[in-house]
Amino acid sequence: MRRRCVYFYRKPDKFEAVGNSNYLYHWDIQEETVERLVPSGTTSVPFFLEKSTMYSCDKAIT
């Protein structure tokens, strides 16, 4: 089974143990810059744009 992963805040390892002798295999790991609106806590400028680095990849259970 193959599917595109959700975003990770840290770079995922190529192999990730999930228990019961199974592993997730991550490949095509890509670093991406994402932007999101974050509440600022003030009424004059209620939101600000935050940029962060995240990672996405394809994965399969092996």
Side-chain angles (χ1 to χ4, degrees):
M1 178 168 99
R2 177 184 172 199
R3 69 174 204 174
R4 194 75 184 157
C5 290
V6 295
Y7 288 104
F8 291 94
Y9 285 104
R10 64 167 184 80
K11 187 173 183 178
D13 296 327
K14 286 197 178 218
F15 290 97
E16 177 185 345
V18 293
N20 200 18
S21 301
N22 290 323
Y23 288 84
L24 288 176
Y25 173 59
H26 300 106
W27 74 97
D28 191 23
I29 300 169
Q30 297 179 8
E31 182 177 299
E32 300 179 26
T33 300
V34 295
E35 299 176 342
R36 65 184 184 130
L37 289 175
V38 178
S40 67
T42 65
T43 56
S44 60
V45 181
F47 295 96
F48 67 92
L49 189 62
E50 177 183 82
K51 292 182 181 181
S52 60
T53 300
M54 300 183 86
Y55 300 89
S56 65
C57 64
D58 288 317
K59 69 179 178 181
I61 297 175
T62 60

